[in-house]
Amino acid sequence: MERRITRSAARAVAALIAGEENSPSVSQAPNPTKVNKRKRPNPTTTSNAPNTLNTPKINTTTELKSSNDRNPAIKQEKPVIRPALFDELPHNLGSVPPPLSVATKPTASIAGSDKENKNLEGEQVASLATELQNTVDKATTKLKKEPKMQTSPTGRKPKKNTYGLTPGVSPFPELIRPTAEECEDVNQLLSSIHGVVTAPATIPEPSLTVTGCGEVPSVLDALIRTLLSGATTGNNAAKAFGGLVQRFGILSEGIGKGSVNWDAVRQATVKDVFEAIKSGGLADIKSKNLKAILDIVHEDNQARRATLLDSESKNDSMSKLVPEKAEKDKQYEIACADQNFLSLNHIHNLTTEEAMTDLIKYPGIGPKTAACVILFCLQRPCFAVDTHIFRLCRWLGWIPARANEVNAFSHLEVRIPDHLKYSLHQLFIRHGKTCPRCRAATGESSAGWEDGCVIDHLLTRDGKRKGNGPTVVSKKKASAKSAAGKHSEESTEESELSISDETSDE
């Protein structure tokens, strides 16, 4: 018996047929490979659109009717299936989340979850912001503690190298030599052939023809003279110093009358300074270092003047309590700066350790040069180690074989008694230059070897030695040869340490 089609069923079929006619067929569906995957589908249109790929097409009312006949209790609803083409987000970002109807209101549990998620996100953002701020604060603090390194007017960065000095502490604590008794014995033996050496009570007036190693009253004068005497002979150093005097003149009046006009040297070009000292050896590097030293001294003098004047104006009521010597020193420094007279004489008021630290900051100045200034100009106990002293102390076993000139200085400065530092320094240099067995490169074939050595029984010689064949050179000729080659030999040997001092900051 044929069943009657109700009006509601007819309307449903008509609407379904109308929707299918408006939708594209399977053959007209867009090519999945050409679809822009970056375009996200509209959830509302996706959920309402018919599935043209998987849903069979209903063509007649009969099919719907027969389906209802089979199971009239089941209401026929069209399944909502999103096309597989839009199931994945672009760039492998995962699946598309299920659409949420605009009319759908979140339940209480969902609303609470969203609130918790928002609180969690807020905490994460706050934590990240705190961490970033801490990083910025640390970077800012580091920049404040370590300001950008300033450069001198010559473009050179200030030297920071302290050479690994260990004031008051030996770098070789396991080596207990030399003992005080050993130092006394060697000092007595060398004095027996080279004469007793004592430190002068007063410093002689500076010579304009001899450089020396700092035996002048002015600290700056002593520093530059010692710099010029490095890695060359005494005669060549004197020529270099004389060249400065001739080219730039001496002060005829005011503070420092009779001294070299160092401010004129400072204002000259490096080329002019080079031409003045080129006869002294290593003029290229020495002229650059000399100019840089004078520039730094000038800057420091002007800065100290400003500081002293400022402190004087602030502490005017306390001026009567300032010691007389300190007041004179202050006025002297202010006058030097006012007259552009370059000075390092404030170093006289520093401790030995402070003086060493202050001196080695200058370009070309190492521990050996600084120690000479302290020993001869400041008249403080300081065992400056040159190449002769280094060689003899190694042969005596006073320093280990692995030592260099710098840590040898640190060790010997601790081990040698203060009252013997001046005399042993001078005696070692004299002996190292003149003893046929203790010069740098001598052997049994050397002239005068048979004369022996007063400390021969204490030495274990190493290093380059001459052959052991017999010599036919007479003592008279050997003596003349030794005197003629004395300065050139000194130049070769002293360059081992002096060049190291001058190039260490390069």
Side-chain angles (χ1 to χ4, degrees), residues 60-81:
T60 64
T61 308
T62 305
E63 294 181 6
L64 178 60
K65 180 180 177 181
S66 61
S67 174
N68 291 336
D69 289 342
R70 287 192 297 270
N71 193 354
I74 301 176
K75 185 178 180 179
Q76 298 296 320
E77 293 181 0
K78 189 174 182 180
V80 179
I81 304 176

Side-chain angles (χ1 to χ4, degrees), residues 27-46:
S27 60
Q28 294 173 343
N31 187 356
T33 60
K34 295 183 180 181
V35 174
N36 184 5
K37 293 187 178 182
R38 293 181 179 272
K39 183 177 180 181
R40 294 186 59 182
N42 189 339
T44 57
T45 57
T46 303

Side-chain angles (χ1 to χ4, degrees), residues 371-393:
C372 285
V373 174
I374 293 172
L375 179 65
F376 296 114
C377 178
L378 303 186
Q379 294 185 301
R380 313 267 186 87
C382 193
F383 195 71
V385 177
D386 82 333
T387 183
H388 302 291
I389 295 172
F390 180 72
R391 180 174 68 253
L392 289 173
C393 287

Side-chain angles (χ1 to χ4, degrees), residues 29 39 49 99 151 179 198 275 288 305 346 405 413 421 499:
K39 183 177 180 181
T151 57
T179 64
T198 57
E275 291 295 329
K288 294 176 182 177
R305 174 187 180 277
H346 68 276
E405 289 86 351
E413 181 72 3
K421 287 178 179 176
I499 294 177

Side-chain angles (χ1 to χ4, degrees), residues 179-320:
T179 64
E181 292 75 15
E182 287 180 307
C183 294
E184 292 284 2
D185 291 343
V186 172
N187 186 76
Q188 185 178 358
L189 290 170
L190 293 179
S191 298
S192 65
I193 61 172
H194 299 294
V196 176
V197 175
T198 57
T202 58
I203 302 176
E205 288 299 317
S207 169
L208 295 178
T209 57
V210 179
T211 53
C213 288
E215 305 93 334
V216 289
S218 167
V219 180
L220 178 61
D221 211 30
L223 185 68
I224 294 178
R225 288 169 183 261
T226 309
L227 175 68
L228 293 175
S229 67
T232 190
T233 65
N235 287 338
N236 286 340
K239 291 179 182 178
F241 189 75
L244 291 174
V245 172
Q246 293 176 6
R247 196 174 191 93
F248 302 104
I250 60 175
L251 296 174
S252 58
E253 58 183 10
I255 296 178
K257 180 180 179 180
S259 175
V260 178
N261 190 348
W262 295 121
D263 193 56
V265 180
R266 178 186 69 84
Q267 297 183 54
T269 64
V270 175
K271 182 179 179 181
D272 288 338
V273 179
F274 172 84
E275 291 295 329
I277 66 173
K278 63 182 180 181
S279 60
L282 293 178
D284 184 35
I285 190 170
K286 287 183 180 180
S287 59
K288 294 176 182 177
N289 287 335
L290 179 54
K291 272 276 296 171
I293 290 172
L294 296 177
D295 283 329
I296 297 172
V297 171
H298 179 263
E299 290 179 351
D300 290 348
N301 285 175
Q302 296 301 320
R304 288 177 63 81
R305 174 187 180 277
T307 301
L308 291 172
L309 288 175
D310 185 59
S311 63
E312 189 177 58
S313 62
K314 291 181 179 179
N315 301 322
D316 188 46
S317 60
M318 301 292 292
S319 60
K320 295 181 180 179

Side-chain angles (χ1 to χ4, degrees), residues 338-353:
D338 287 340
Q339 298 182 28
N340 286 327
F341 176 72
L342 305 186
S343 172
L344 285 177
N345 286 347
H346 68 276
I347 293 181
H348 279 287
N349 299 322
L350 303 180
T351 65
T352 300
E353 182 180 335

